[in-house]
Amino acid sequence: MRPQNEEARRAKQIEIMENCFNCYAENGFSSIGIKAIAKACDCSVATLYLYFDNLDDLIVKSTEYCMSKVEDDFMAKAPTDVEDLWRFMDEIPYWTAKKHGKKYRLMYQVYTHPKYRQYGQKFFQGVDERYTEYAKSLEPKLGIPREKLTPLIFILIRACVHYALFEDEFYLKSQIAVLKEALELFVMKYNPKYKPNIN
């Protein structure tokens, strides 16, 4: 039965996308079919098709929606000021790997699949725009120009995702060390009164 209004329809669509994405993340992208997805969403296959054109549509939209929620979750942990930067850099890679590791692995399975690669390109164009806006929001908190922050955000995110995928401690620590050094230089340049205390 169709929801009576658009708000209810959207809520049901979101519920399906989250359940679908979690099911794939838990069980693997290639081993789950439409019947298993419907079961995970606690609905019939016919109900899935009320909200999505086909399985590909469901996969693409679920990935986009759920990974945007991961981004929101990540950005909610953002440093509040310069002094909070070092805590953030030390904690965020391990926090996001533990909380979102399976989701990152699924995202790469989906977006590197030849069938969905164009959707991945579109998604990451959006990522570029969102992280640029993220840098703008951090500029007044950190006193570092957004043009300097944007590439550092990309490096941090890639390091976090790489760690979530492979638990490569050497790679992570080397990336974080360089990021801290770059941030220390920027902090001293743009906030000369602040003396960072980096471990």
Side-chain angles (χ1 to χ4, degrees):
M1 184 175 179
R2 289 182 181 274
Q4 295 179 350
N5 57 57
E6 282 304 311
E7 185 177 333
R9 178 178 175 81
R10 181 58 180 166
K12 183 62 177 178
Q13 190 178 43
I14 287 171
E15 178 188 335
I16 291 172
M17 287 190 293
E18 289 178 341
N19 288 334
C20 169
F21 196 77
N22 289 336
C23 182
Y24 275 126
E26 199 62 42
N27 298 288
F29 178 53
S30 60
S31 59
I32 301 295
I34 189 72
K35 290 182 180 178
I37 291 297
K39 183 176 179 181
C41 295
D42 194 28
C43 66
S44 67
V45 172
T47 298
L48 293 180
Y49 290 128
L50 291 175
Y51 296 91
F52 302 92
D53 295 340
N54 49 47
L55 184 57
D56 290 333
D57 186 44
L58 173 56
I59 290 169
V60 167
K61 288 180 178 171
S62 297
T63 302
E64 181 180 8
Y65 175 79
C66 291
M67 291 313 298
S68 69
K69 296 294 287 182
V70 168
E71 285 180 21
D72 292 343
D73 210 10
F74 192 101
M75 291 178 184
K77 292 276 188 180
T80 54
D81 54 35
V82 172
E83 292 185 6
D84 195 37
L85 261 176
W86 320 116
R87 184 273 319 163
F88 177 75
M89 298 285 288
D90 288 334
E91 293 179 3
I92 199 71
Y94 301 101
W95 169 82
T96 197
K98 183 177 181 180
K99 185 166 185 183
H100 300 303
K102 290 179 181 179
K103 294 175 183 177
Y104 287 124
R105 288 190 284 275
L106 175 58
M107 177 190 72
Y108 275 93
Q109 288 180 60
V110 172
Y111 285 149
T112 58
H113 192 290
K115 188 190 291 188
Y116 306 123
R117 189 167 178 270
Q118 64 181 333
Y119 298 103
Q121 290 173 323
K122 181 180 177 184
F123 176 79
F124 283 106
Q125 286 172 356
V127 167
D128 293 347
E129 294 169 6
R130 289 189 294 276
Y131 288 174
T132 300
E133 290 301 311
Y134 183 33
K136 289 180 184 178
S137 72
L138 286 176
E139 183 177 13
K141 296 177 184 177
L142 306 180
I144 301 172
R146 67 191 74 170
E147 296 81 9
K148 306 297 183 184
L149 287 171
T150 301
L152 298 183
I153 291 170
F154 281 111
I155 294 168
L156 174 63
I157 299 297
R158 298 297 184 259
C160 289
V161 172
H162 183 89
Y163 181 76
L165 293 173
F166 304 111
E167 297 182 3
D168 184 346
E169 194 82 23
F170 178 81
Y171 178 90
L172 175 65
K173 286 186 174 179
S174 64
Q175 296 291 297
I176 296 298
V178 170
L179 281 169
K180 284 183 174 182
E181 288 182 21
L183 282 166
E184 182 178 10
L185 292 171
F186 286 139
V187 167
M188 288 190 295
K189 180 176 180 178
Y190 297 107
N191 296 284
K193 294 181 180 179
Y194 178 76
K195 303 296 182 187
N197 180 20
I198 303 175
N199 296 326

